[in-house]
Coordinates of all heavy atoms in Angstrom, one line a residue:
M90 N 116.8 105.3 95.4 CA 116.8 106.5 94.6 C 117.0 107.7 95.6 O 116.3 107.8 96.5 CB 115.5 106.5 93.9 CG 115.3 107.8 93.1 SD 113.8 107.9 92.2 CE 114.3 107.0 90.8
P91 N 117.9 108.5 95.3 CA 118.2 109.7 96.1 C 117.1 110.7 96.0 O 116.4 110.9 94.9 CB 119.5 110.2 95.6 CG 119.7 109.7 94.3 CD 118.9 108.4 94.2
L92 N 116.9 111.4 97.1 CA 115.9 112.5 97.1 C 116.7 113.9 96.9 O 117.9 113.9 97.1 CB 115.1 112.5 98.4 CG 114.4 111.3 98.8 CD1 113.8 111.4 100.2 CD2 113.2 111.1 97.8
V93 N 115.9 114.9 96.6 CA 116.6 116.2 96.4 C 117.3 116.6 97.7 O 118.4 117.2 97.6 CB 115.5 117.3 96.0 CG1 114.6 117.6 97.1 CG2 116.2 118.5 95.5
V94 N 116.8 116.3 98.9 CA 117.4 116.7 100.1 C 118.8 116.1 100.3 O 119.6 116.6 101.0 CB 116.5 116.5 101.4 CG1 115.3 117.3 101.3 CG2 116.2 115.0 101.5
D95 N 119.0 114.9 99.6 CA 120.3 114.3 99.7 C 121.4 115.0 99.0 O 122.6 114.8 99.2 CB 120.2 112.9 99.1 CG 119.2 112.0 99.8 OD1 119.1 112.1 101.0 OD2 118.6 111.1 99.2
Y96 N 121.0 116.0 98.2 CA 122.0 116.8 97.5 C 122.3 118.2 98.2 O 123.1 118.9 97.6 CB 121.6 117.1 96.0 CG 121.5 115.8 95.2 CD1 120.3 115.2 95.0 CD2 122.7 115.2 94.8 CE1 120.2 114.0 94.2 CE2 122.6 114.0 94.1 CZ 121.4 113.4 93.8 OH 121.3 112.2 93.1
A97 N 121.7 118.4 99.3 CA 121.9 119.7 100.0 C 123.4 119.7 100.5 O 123.9 118.7 100.9 CB 121.0 119.8 101.2
K98 N 123.9 120.9 100.3 CA 125.3 121.1 100.7 C 125.5 121.5 102.2 O 126.6 121.4 102.7 CB 126.0 122.1 99.8 CG 126.1 121.5 98.4 CD 126.8 122.4 97.4 CE 126.9 121.7 96.1 NZ 127.5 122.4 95.1
T99 N 124.4 122.0 102.8 CA 124.5 122.4 104.2 C 123.3 121.9 104.9 O 122.3 121.5 104.3 CB 124.5 124.0 104.3 OG1 123.3 124.5 103.9 CG2 125.7 124.6 103.6
E100 N 123.4 121.9 106.2 CA 122.2 121.4 107.0 C 121.1 122.4 106.9 O 119.9 122.0 106.8 CB 122.6 121.3 108.5 CG 121.5 120.9 109.4 CD 120.9 119.5 109.1 OE1 121.6 118.7 108.5 OE2 119.8 119.3 109.4
E101 N 121.3 123.7 106.7 CA 120.3 124.7 106.5 C 119.5 124.4 105.2 O 118.3 124.4 105.2 CB 120.8 126.1 106.5 CG 119.8 127.1 106.3 CD 120.4 128.5 106.3 OE1 120.5 129.1 107.4 OE2 120.7 129.0 105.2
A102 N 120.3 124.2 104.2 CA 119.7 123.9 102.9 C 118.9 122.6 102.9 O 117.8 122.5 102.4 CB 120.8 123.8 101.8
R103 N 119.4 121.6 103.6 CA 118.7 120.3 103.7 C 117.3 120.6 104.5 O 116.3 120.1 104.0 CB 119.5 119.3 104.5 CG 118.8 117.9 104.5 CD 119.4 117.0 105.6 NE 119.1 117.4 106.9 CZ 117.9 117.4 107.5 NH1 116.8 116.9 106.8 NH2 117.6 117.8 108.7
R104 N 117.4 121.3 105.5 CA 116.1 121.6 106.3 C 115.1 122.4 105.5 O 113.9 122.1 105.5 CB 116.5 122.3 107.6 CG 115.4 122.5 108.6 CD 115.0 121.1 109.2 NE 113.9 121.4 110.2 CZ 112.8 120.8 110.1 NH1 112.5 119.9 109.2 NH2 111.9 121.1 111.0
L105 N 115.6 123.4 104.8 CA 114.7 124.2 103.9 C 114.1 123.3 102.8 O 112.9 123.4 102.6 CB 115.5 125.4 103.3 CG 115.8 126.5 104.2 CD1 116.8 127.4 103.6 CD2 114.6 127.2 104.7
M106 N 114.8 122.4 102.2 CA 114.3 121.5 101.2 C 113.3 120.6 101.8 O 112.2 120.3 101.3 CB 115.4 120.8 100.5 CG 116.1 121.6 99.5 SD 117.2 120.6 98.5 CE 118.8 121.3 99.1
Q107 N 113.6 120.1 103.0 CA 112.8 119.1 103.7 C 111.4 119.7 104.0 O 110.4 119.2 103.6 CB 113.4 118.7 105.0 CG 112.6 117.7 105.8 CD 112.5 116.3 105.2 OE1 113.4 115.8 104.6 NE2 111.3 115.7 105.3
V108 N 111.4 120.9 104.5 CA 110.1 121.6 104.9 C 109.4 122.1 103.7 O 108.2 122.0 103.5 CB 110.4 122.7 106.0 CG1 109.1 123.5 106.2 CG2 110.9 122.0 107.3
G109 N 110.2 122.8 102.8 CA 109.6 123.5 101.7 C 109.1 122.6 100.6 O 108.2 123.0 99.8
I110 N 109.7 121.4 100.4 CA 109.3 120.5 99.3 C 108.7 119.2 99.9 O 107.5 119.0 99.6 CB 110.5 120.2 98.5 CG1 111.1 121.5 97.9 CG2 110.2 119.2 97.4 CD1 112.5 121.3 97.2
H111 N 109.5 118.5 100.6 CA 109.0 117.1 101.0 C 107.8 117.2 102.0 O 106.8 116.6 101.8 CB 110.1 116.3 101.6 CG 109.7 115.0 102.1 ND1 109.3 114.0 101.3 CD2 109.4 114.5 103.4 CE1 108.9 112.9 102.0 NE2 109.0 113.2 103.3
D112 N 108.0 118.0 103.1 CA 107.0 118.1 104.1 C 105.7 118.7 103.6 O 104.6 118.3 103.9 CB 107.4 118.8 105.4 CG 108.5 118.1 106.2 OD1 108.8 116.9 105.8 OD2 109.0 118.7 107.1
Y113 N 105.9 119.7 102.7 CA 104.7 120.3 102.1 C 103.9 119.3 101.3 O 102.7 119.2 101.3 CB 105.1 121.5 101.2 CG 103.9 121.9 100.4 CD1 102.9 122.7 100.9 CD2 103.7 121.6 99.0 CE1 101.8 123.1 100.2 CE2 102.6 122.0 98.3 CZ 101.7 122.7 98.9 OH 100.6 123.1 98.2
A114 N 104.6 118.5 100.5 CA 104.0 117.5 99.6 C 103.2 116.4 100.4 O 102.1 116.1 100.1 CB 105.0 116.8 98.8
V115 N 103.8 116.0 101.6 CA 103.1 114.9 102.3 C 101.9 115.5 103.2 O 101.1 114.7 103.6 CB 104.0 114.1 103.2 CG1 105.1 113.4 102.4 CG2 104.6 115.0 104.3
T116 N 101.9 116.8 103.3 CA 100.8 117.4 104.1 C 99.7 118.1 103.2 O 98.8 118.7 103.7 CB 101.3 118.4 105.1 OG1 101.9 119.5 104.4 CG2 102.2 117.8 106.1
A117 N 99.8 117.9 101.9 CA 99.0 118.6 100.9 C 97.5 118.2 100.9 O 96.6 119.0 100.7 CB 99.6 118.5 99.5
R118 N 97.3 116.9 101.2 CA 95.9 116.4 101.2 C 95.6 115.5 102.4 O 95.2 114.4 102.3 CB 95.6 115.6 99.9 CG 95.7 116.5 98.7 CD 95.5 115.7 97.5 NE 96.4 114.6 97.4 CZ 97.3 114.4 96.5 NH1 97.3 115.1 95.4 NH2 98.1 113.4 96.5
P119 N 95.6 116.1 103.6 CA 95.4 115.3 104.8 C 93.9 115.1 105.1 O 93.1 115.9 104.6 CB 96.1 116.0 105.9 CG 95.8 117.5 105.5 CD 96.0 117.5 104.0
Y120 N 93.6 114.1 105.8 CA 92.2 114.0 106.4 C 92.4 114.5 107.8 O 93.4 114.1 108.5 CB 91.8 112.5 106.4 CG 91.4 112.0 105.1 CD1 92.4 111.2 104.4 CD2 90.2 112.2 104.5 CE1 92.0 110.7 103.1 CE2 89.9 111.7 103.3 CZ 90.8 110.9 102.6 OH 90.5 110.5 101.3
V121 N 91.6 115.4 108.2 CA 91.7 116.0 109.6 C 90.4 115.9 110.3 O 89.3 115.7 109.8 CB 92.2 117.4 109.5 CG1 93.6 117.6 108.9 CG2 91.2 118.3 108.7
F122 N 90.5 116.0 111.7 CA 89.4 115.9 112.6 C 89.3 117.2 113.3 O 90.3 117.9 113.5 CB 89.5 114.8 113.6 CG 89.8 113.4 113.0 CD1 91.0 112.8 113.1 CD2 88.8 112.8 112.2 CE1 91.3 111.6 112.5 CE2 89.1 111.6 111.7 CZ 90.3 111.0 111.8
P123 N 88.1 117.6 113.7 CA 88.0 118.9 114.4 C 88.6 118.8 115.8 O 88.8 117.7 116.4 CB 86.4 119.0 114.6 CG 85.9 117.7 114.4 CD 86.8 116.9 113.5
P124 N 89.0 119.9 116.4 CA 89.6 119.9 117.7 C 88.6 119.2 118.7 O 87.4 119.4 118.6 CB 89.7 121.4 118.1 CG 89.8 122.1 116.7 CD 88.9 121.3 115.8
G125 N 89.1 118.5 119.6 CA 88.3 117.9 120.7 C 87.8 116.5 120.3 O 87.1 115.9 121.0
T126 N 88.2 116.0 119.1 CA 87.8 114.6 118.7 C 88.4 113.7 119.7 O 89.6 113.8 120.0 CB 88.2 114.3 117.3 OG1 87.7 115.3 116.4 CG2 87.8 112.9 116.9
P127 N 87.6 112.8 120.3 CA 88.2 111.8 121.3 C 89.4 111.0 120.7 O 89.3 110.6 119.6 CB 87.0 110.9 121.6 CG 85.8 111.7 121.3 CD 86.2 112.6 120.1
K128 N 90.4 110.9 121.5 CA 91.6 110.2 121.1 C 91.3 108.8 120.6 O 91.9 108.3 119.6 CB 92.7 110.2 122.2 CG 93.3 111.5 122.4 CD 94.4 111.4 123.5 CE 94.8 112.8 123.9 NZ 95.8 113.4 123.1
E129 N 90.4 108.1 121.2 CA 90.1 106.7 120.9 C 89.4 106.7 119.5 O 89.7 105.8 118.7 CB 89.2 106.1 121.9 CG 88.8 104.6 121.6 CD 89.9 103.7 121.5 OE1 91.1 104.0 121.9 OE2 89.7 102.5 121.0
R130 N 88.6 107.7 119.2 CA 88.0 107.7 117.8 C 89.0 108.0 116.8 O 89.0 107.4 115.7 CB 86.9 108.8 117.8 CG 86.2 108.9 116.5 CD 85.0 109.8 116.5 NE 84.1 109.3 117.5 CZ 83.2 110.2 118.1 NH1 83.1 111.4 117.8 NH2 82.4 109.7 119.0
V131 N 90.0 108.9 117.1 CA 91.0 109.2 116.1 C 91.9 107.9 115.9 O 92.2 107.6 114.7 CB 92.0 110.3 116.7 CG1 93.2 110.5 115.8 CG2 91.2 111.6 116.7
R132 N 92.2 107.2 116.9 CA 92.9 106.0 116.8 C 92.2 105.0 115.9 O 92.8 104.4 115.0 CB 93.2 105.4 118.2 CG 94.1 104.1 118.2 CD 94.3 103.5 119.5 NE 93.1 102.9 120.0 CZ 92.6 101.7 119.5 NH1 93.2 101.1 118.5 NH2 91.4 101.2 119.9
L133 N 90.9 104.8 116.2 CA 90.1 103.8 115.4 C 90.0 104.2 113.9 O 90.1 103.4 113.0 CB 88.7 103.7 116.0 CG 88.7 102.9 117.3 CD1 87.3 103.0 117.9 CD2 89.1 101.5 117.1
L134 N 89.8 105.5 113.7 CA 89.7 106.0 112.3 C 91.1 105.9 111.6 O 91.1 105.5 110.4 CB 89.2 107.4 112.2 CG 87.7 107.6 112.6 CD1 87.4 109.0 112.9 CD2 86.8 107.0 111.6
R135 N 92.1 106.1 112.3 CA 93.5 105.9 111.7 C 93.7 104.5 111.3 O 94.2 104.2 110.2 CB 94.6 106.4 112.6 CG 94.7 107.9 112.7 CD 95.8 108.3 113.7 NE 96.0 109.8 113.6 CZ 96.9 110.4 114.4 NH1 97.6 109.7 115.3 NH2 97.1 111.7 114.3
Q136 N 93.3 103.6 112.2 CA 93.5 102.1 111.9 C 92.7 101.7 110.7 O 93.1 101.0 109.9 CB 93.1 101.3 113.2 CG 94.1 101.3 114.2 CD 93.6 100.4 115.4 OE1 92.4 100.2 115.6 NE2 94.6 100.0 116.2
A137 N 91.4 102.2 110.7 CA 90.5 101.8 109.6 C 91.1 102.4 108.2 O 91.0 101.7 107.2 CB 89.1 102.4 109.8
F138 N 91.6 103.6 108.3 CA 92.1 104.2 107.0 C 93.3 103.3 106.5 O 93.4 103.0 105.3 CB 92.6 105.6 107.3 CG 93.2 106.3 106.1 CD1 92.5 106.8 105.1 CD2 94.6 106.4 106.1 CE1 93.1 107.4 104.0 CE2 95.2 107.0 105.0 CZ 94.5 107.5 103.9
M139 N 94.2 103.0 107.4 CA 95.4 102.3 107.0 C 95.0 100.8 106.6 O 95.6 100.3 105.6 CB 96.5 102.2 108.1 CG 97.1 103.6 108.4 SD 97.8 104.4 106.9 CE 99.2 103.4 106.5
A140 N 94.0 100.3 107.2 CA 93.5 98.9 106.8 C 93.0 99.0 105.4 O 93.2 98.1 104.5 CB 92.5 98.4 107.8
T141 N 92.2 100.1 105.1 CA 91.7 100.3 103.7 C 92.8 100.4 102.7 O 92.7 99.8 101.6 CB 90.8 101.5 103.7 OG1 89.7 101.3 104.6 CG2 90.3 101.8 102.3
M142 N 93.9 101.1 103.1 CA 95.0 101.3 102.2 C 95.7 100.0 101.9 O 96.5 100.0 100.9 CB 96.0 102.4 102.7 CG 95.4 103.8 102.9 SD 94.9 104.5 101.4 CE 93.1 104.4 101.5
R143 N 95.5 99.0 102.7 CA 96.2 97.7 102.5 C 95.2 96.6 101.9 O 95.6 95.5 101.6 CB 96.8 97.2 103.8 CG 97.9 98.0 104.3 CD 98.6 97.3 105.5 NE 97.6 97.2 106.7 CZ 97.5 98.1 107.6 NH1 98.2 99.2 107.6 NH2 96.7 97.9 108.6
D144 N 93.9 97.0 101.8 CA 92.9 96.1 101.3 C 93.1 95.7 99.9 O 93.2 96.5 99.0 CB 91.5 96.7 101.5 CG 90.4 95.8 101.0 OD1 90.1 94.8 101.7 OD2 89.9 96.0 99.9
P145 N 93.3 94.4 99.6 CA 93.5 93.9 98.2 C 92.5 94.4 97.2 O 92.9 94.7 96.1 CB 93.5 92.4 98.3 CG 93.8 92.1 99.8 CD 93.2 93.2 100.5
E146 N 91.2 94.4 97.6 CA 90.2 94.8 96.6 C 90.3 96.3 96.3 O 90.2 96.7 95.2 CB 88.8 94.5 97.2 CG 87.7 94.7 96.2 CD 86.3 94.3 96.8 OE1 86.3 93.3 97.6 OE2 85.3 94.9 96.4
F147 N 90.6 97.1 97.4 CA 90.8 98.5 97.2 C 92.0 98.8 96.3 O 92.0 99.6 95.4 CB 91.0 99.2 98.5 CG 91.4 100.6 98.4 CD1 90.5 101.6 98.2 CD2 92.7 101.0 98.6 CE1 90.9 103.0 98.0 CE2 93.1 102.3 98.5 CZ 92.2 103.3 98.2
L148 N 93.1 98.1 96.6 CA 94.3 98.2 95.8 C 94.1 97.8 94.3 O 94.7 98.5 93.4 CB 95.5 97.5 96.4 CG 95.9 98.0 97.8 CD1 96.9 97.1 98.4 CD2 96.5 99.5 97.6
A149 N 93.3 96.8 94.1 CA 93.0 96.3 92.7 C 92.3 97.4 92.0 O 92.6 97.7 90.8 CB 92.3 95.0 92.7
D150 N 91.3 98.0 92.7 CA 90.5 99.1 92.0 C 91.4 100.3 91.7 O 91.3 100.9 90.7 CB 89.3 99.5 92.9 CG 88.2 98.5 92.9 OD1 88.1 97.7 92.0 OD2 87.3 98.6 93.8
A151 N 92.3 100.6 92.7 CA 93.2 101.7 92.5 C 94.1 101.5 91.3 O 94.3 102.4 90.5 CB 94.0 102.0 93.7
S152 N 94.6 100.3 91.2 CA 95.4 99.9 90.1 C 94.7 100.0 88.7 O 95.3 100.5 87.8 CB 96.0 98.5 90.3 OG 96.8 98.1 89.2
K153 N 93.5 99.6 88.7 CA 92.7 99.7 87.5 C 92.5 101.1 87.0 O 92.5 101.5 85.9 CB 91.3 99.1 87.7 CG 91.3 97.6 87.7 CD 89.9 97.1 87.9 CE 89.9 95.6 88.3 NZ 88.6 95.1 88.7
S154 N 92.5 102.0 88.0 CA 92.3 103.5 87.8 C 93.6 104.2 87.6 O 93.7 105.4 87.5 CB 91.5 104.1 88.9 OG 90.2 103.5 89.0
R155 N 94.7 103.4 87.7 CA 96.1 103.9 87.5 C 96.4 104.9 88.6 O 97.0 105.9 88.4 CB 96.3 104.5 86.1 CG 96.2 103.4 85.1 CD 96.5 104.0 83.7 NE 96.4 103.0 82.7 CZ 96.2 103.2 81.5 NH1 96.2 104.4 81.0 NH2 96.1 102.2 80.6
L156 N 96.0 104.6 89.8 CA 96.3 105.5 91.0 C 97.4 104.8 91.8 O 97.3 103.6 92.1 CB 95.0 105.6 91.8 CG 93.8 106.3 91.2 CD1 92.6 106.3 92.1 CD2 94.2 107.8 90.9
D157 N 98.3 105.6 92.2 CA 99.4 105.2 93.1 C 98.9 105.4 94.5 O 98.4 106.4 94.9 CB 100.7 105.9 92.9 CG 101.3 105.6 91.6 OD1 101.2 104.5 91.1 OD2 101.9 106.5 91.0
I158 N 98.9 104.3 95.3 CA 98.5 104.4 96.7 C 99.8 104.3 97.6 O 100.5 103.3 97.6 CB 97.5 103.3 97.1 CG1 96.3 103.3 96.2 CG2 97.2 103.3 98.5 CD1 95.5 104.6 96.3
N159 N 100.1 105.4 98.2 CA 101.3 105.5 99.1 C 100.9 106.3 100.3 O 101.3 107.5 100.4 CB 102.4 106.2 98.3 CG 103.7 106.1 99.0 OD1 103.9 105.3 100.0 ND2 104.7 106.9 98.6
P160 N 100.1 105.8 101.2 CA 99.6 106.6 102.3 C 100.6 106.9 103.4 O 101.5 106.1 103.5 CB 98.4 105.7 102.8 CG 98.9 104.3 102.6 CD 99.6 104.4 101.2
L161 N 100.4 107.9 104.0 CA 101.2 108.3 105.2 C 100.3 108.1 106.4 O 99.2 108.5 106.4 CB 101.6 109.8 105.1 CG 102.6 110.3 106.1 CD1 104.0 109.6 106.0 CD2 102.8 111.8 105.9
S162 N 100.8 107.4 107.4 CA 100.0 107.2 108.6 C 99.7 108.5 109.3 O 100.4 109.5 109.2 CB 100.7 106.2 109.6 OG 101.8 106.9 110.2
G163 N 98.6 108.5 110.1 CA 98.3 109.7 110.9 C 99.4 110.1 111.8 O 99.7 111.3 112.0
E164 N 100.0 109.1 112.4 CA 101.1 109.3 113.3 C 102.3 110.0 112.6 O 102.9 110.9 113.2 CB 101.6 108.0 114.0 CG 100.5 107.4 114.9 CD 99.5 106.6 114.2 OE1 99.6 106.3 113.0 OE2 98.5 106.2 114.8
S165 N 102.6 109.5 111.4 CA 103.7 110.1 110.7 C 103.4 111.6 110.2 O 104.2 112.5 110.3 CB 104.0 109.3 109.4 OG 104.5 108.1 109.8
L166 N 102.2 111.8 109.8 CA 101.7 113.1 109.4 C 101.8 114.1 110.6 O 102.2 115.2 110.5 CB 100.3 113.1 108.8 CG 99.8 114.4 108.4 CD1 100.7 115.1 107.3 CD2 98.4 114.2 107.8
E167 N 101.3 113.6 111.8 CA 101.3 114.4 113.0 C 102.8 114.8 113.3 O 103.0 115.9 113.7 CB 100.7 113.6 114.1 CG 100.5 114.4 115.4 CD 99.7 113.6 116.4 OE1 99.3 112.4 116.2 OE2 99.5 114.1 117.5
K168 N 103.7 113.9 113.2 CA 105.1 114.1 113.5 C 105.7 115.2 112.5 O 106.4 116.1 112.9 CB 105.9 112.8 113.4 CG 107.3 113.0 113.8 CD 108.0 111.6 113.8 CE 109.5 111.8 114.0 NZ 110.2 110.5 114.0
T169 N 105.3 115.0 111.2 CA 105.8 116.0 110.2 C 105.3 117.4 110.5 O 106.1 118.3 110.4 CB 105.3 115.5 108.8 OG1 105.9 114.2 108.5 CG2 105.7 116.5 107.7
V170 N 104.0 117.5 110.8 CA 103.4 118.8 111.1 C 104.1 119.4 112.3 O 104.4 120.6 112.3 CB 101.9 118.7 111.2 CG1 101.3 120.0 111.7 CG2 101.3 118.4 109.8
A171 N 104.3 118.6 113.3 CA 104.9 119.1 114.6 C 106.3 119.6 114.3 O 106.7 120.7 114.8 CB 105.0 118.0 115.6
G172 N 107.0 118.9 113.4 CA 108.4 119.4 113.0 C 108.4 120.7 112.3 O 109.3 121.5 112.4
I173 N 107.4 120.9 111.4 CA 107.3 122.2 110.7 C 107.1 123.3 111.7 O 107.7 124.4 111.6 CB 106.1 122.2 109.7 CG1 106.4 121.2 108.6 CG2 105.8 123.6 109.2 CD1 105.2 120.9 107.7
F174 N 106.3 123.1 112.8 CA 106.1 124.2 113.8 C 107.3 124.4 114.7 O 107.3 125.4 115.4 CB 104.8 123.8 114.6 CG 103.5 124.2 113.9 CD1 102.8 123.2 113.3 CD2 103.1 125.5 113.9 CE1 101.6 123.5 112.6 CE2 101.9 125.8 113.2 CZ 101.2 124.8 112.6
Q175 N 108.2 123.5 114.6 CA 109.4 123.6 115.4 C 110.6 124.3 114.6 O 111.7 124.4 115.1 CB 109.9 122.3 116.0 CG 108.9 121.7 117.0 CD 109.3 120.3 117.4 OE1 110.2 119.7 116.9 NE2 108.5 119.8 118.4
L176 N 110.3 124.6 113.4 CA 111.3 125.2 112.5 C 111.8 126.5 113.1 O 111.0 127.4 113.5 CB 110.7 125.4 111.1 CG 111.7 125.8 110.0 CD1 112.7 124.7 109.8 CD2 111.0 126.1 108.7
D177 N 113.1 126.7 113.1 CA 113.7 127.9 113.6 C 113.2 129.1 112.9 O 113.1 129.1 111.7 CB 115.3 127.8 113.4 CG 116.0 129.0 113.9 OD1 116.3 129.1 115.1 OD2 116.3 129.9 113.0
Q178 N 112.9 130.2 113.6 CA 112.3 131.4 113.0 C 113.2 132.0 111.9 O 112.7 132.6 110.9 CB 112.0 132.5 114.1 CG 110.9 132.1 115.0 CD 109.6 131.8 114.2 OE1 109.2 132.6 113.4 NE2 109.0 130.7 114.4
R179 N 114.5 131.9 112.0 CA 115.4 132.4 111.0 C 115.2 131.6 109.7 O 115.1 132.2 108.6 CB 116.8 132.2 111.4 CG 117.9 132.8 110.5 CD 119.3 132.6 111.1 NE 119.6 131.3 111.3 CZ 120.0 130.4 110.4 NH1 120.0 130.7 109.1 NH2 120.3 129.1 110.7
L180 N 114.9 130.3 109.8 CA 114.7 129.5 108.6 C 113.3 129.7 108.1 O 113.1 129.7 106.9 CB 114.9 128.0 108.9 CG 116.3 127.5 109.2 CD1 116.3 126.0 109.5 CD2 117.2 127.9 108.0
V181 N 112.3 130.0 109.0 CA 111.0 130.4 108.5 C 111.0 131.6 107.6 O 110.4 131.7 106.5 CB 110.0 130.6 109.7 CG1 108.7 131.2 109.2 CG2 109.8 129.3 110.5
A182 N 111.8 132.6 108.1 CA 111.9 133.9 107.3 C 112.6 133.6 105.9 O 112.2 134.1 104.9 CB 112.7 134.9 108.1
K183 N 113.6 132.8 105.9 CA 114.3 132.4 104.7 C 113.4 131.6 103.8 O 113.4 131.9 102.6 CB 115.6 131.6 105.0 CG 116.5 131.5 103.9 CD 117.9 131.0 104.4 CE 119.0 131.5 103.6 NZ 120.3 131.3 104.1
L184 N 112.6 130.7 104.3 CA 111.7 129.9 103.5 C 110.6 130.8 102.9 O 110.3 130.7 101.7 CB 111.1 128.8 104.3 CG 110.2 127.8 103.6 CD1 111.0 127.1 102.5 CD2 109.7 126.7 104.5
K185 N 110.1 131.8 103.6 CA 109.1 132.7 103.1 C 109.7 133.5 101.9 O 109.1 133.7 100.9 CB 108.7 133.7 104.2 CG 107.7 133.1 105.2 CD 107.3 134.2 106.2 CE 106.4 133.7 107.2 NZ 106.0 134.7 108.2
E186 N 111.0 133.9 102.1 CA 111.6 134.7 101.0 C 111.8 133.8 99.8 O 111.6 134.2 98.6 CB 113.0 135.2 101.5 CG 113.6 136.2 100.6 CD 112.8 137.4 100.4 OE1 112.1 137.9 101.4 OE2 112.8 138.0 99.3
I187 N 112.2 132.6 99.9 CA 112.4 131.6 98.8 C 111.1 131.4 98.1 O 111.0 131.3 96.9 CB 113.0 130.3 99.3 CG1 114.4 130.5 99.8 CG2 112.9 129.2 98.2 CD1 115.0 129.3 100.5
L188 N 110.0 131.2 98.9 CA 108.7 130.9 98.3 C 108.0 132.1 97.6 O 106.9 131.9 97.0 CB 107.8 130.2 99.3 CG 108.4 128.8 99.8 CD1 107.5 128.3 100.9 CD2 108.4 127.8 98.7
K189 N 108.5 133.3 97.8 CA 107.8 134.4 97.2 C 107.8 134.4 95.8 O 108.3 134.3 94.9 CB 108.4 135.7 97.7 CG 108.0 136.1 99.1 CD 108.5 137.4 99.4 CE 108.1 137.8 100.8 NZ 108.7 139.1 101.2

C-alpha cells in the first residue's frame, strides 16, 4: 500500500511530508528516559518493551480490546528523531509555515 510520501513530486515535498506527517506520527507517544540514564539500562528496557510487544498473551489481550499493536523500536525512534534534527533550516522554515 503506497504512503502519502510516495506521491510527492519533488524531493523537498517528500522530505516535508516525511517529517511533517510520518515522523510526527511515530514520535507522538514515545517512552523516554531522563538524561544520564545508563546505556545498559536503556538497552535492557528497550529489549523488555519489544519482548512485551511480541508476547502472545499481551497480543491476545490487545486484540480483545481491539487495539492495534505496531511498536517502533527505540533504535528506530532514536534514528527518526535524529533525522528531524538534521532537517535543513530552509525546510524547517517552510514546514513551520505549512503547519501554521
Side-chain angles (χ1 to χ4, degrees):
M90 174 177 278
L92 300 174
V93 71
V94 296
D95 297 328
Y96 295 104
K98 294 185 179 177
T99 66
E100 180 59 27
E101 179 182 272
R103 188 198 67 73
R104 187 71 175 123
L105 288 169
M106 284 188 245
Q107 178 70 37
V108 172
I110 299 169
H111 178 73
D112 291 353
Y113 171 76
V115 300
T116 62
R118 293 179 304 239
Y120 289 97
V121 296
F122 306 111
T126 301
K128 289 183 189 275
E129 181 62 14
R130 184 171 301 154
V131 171
R132 186 185 68 74
L133 289 171
L134 289 168
R135 283 177 172 178
Q136 282 180 340
F138 177 79
M139 292 308 288
T141 299
M142 297 297 108
R143 291 186 299 268
D144 179 73
E146 189 175 328
F147 171 78
L148 292 172
D150 285 345
S152 180
K153 286 178 193 173
S154 299
R155 297 184 181 159
L156 297 173
D157 291 327
I158 303 298
N159 189 15
L161 187 66
S162 72
E164 293 81 10
S165 294
L166 181 58
E167 189 174 355
K168 184 178 177 183
T169 297
V170 171
I173 293 169
F174 280 100
Q175 293 174 356
L176 189 62
D177 179 85
Q178 288 303 308
R179 185 179 58 77
L180 290 180
V181 169
K183 197 167 207 169
L184 188 57
K185 282 181 182 179
E186 192 61 33
I187 291 168
L188 295 175
K189 282 185 180 178

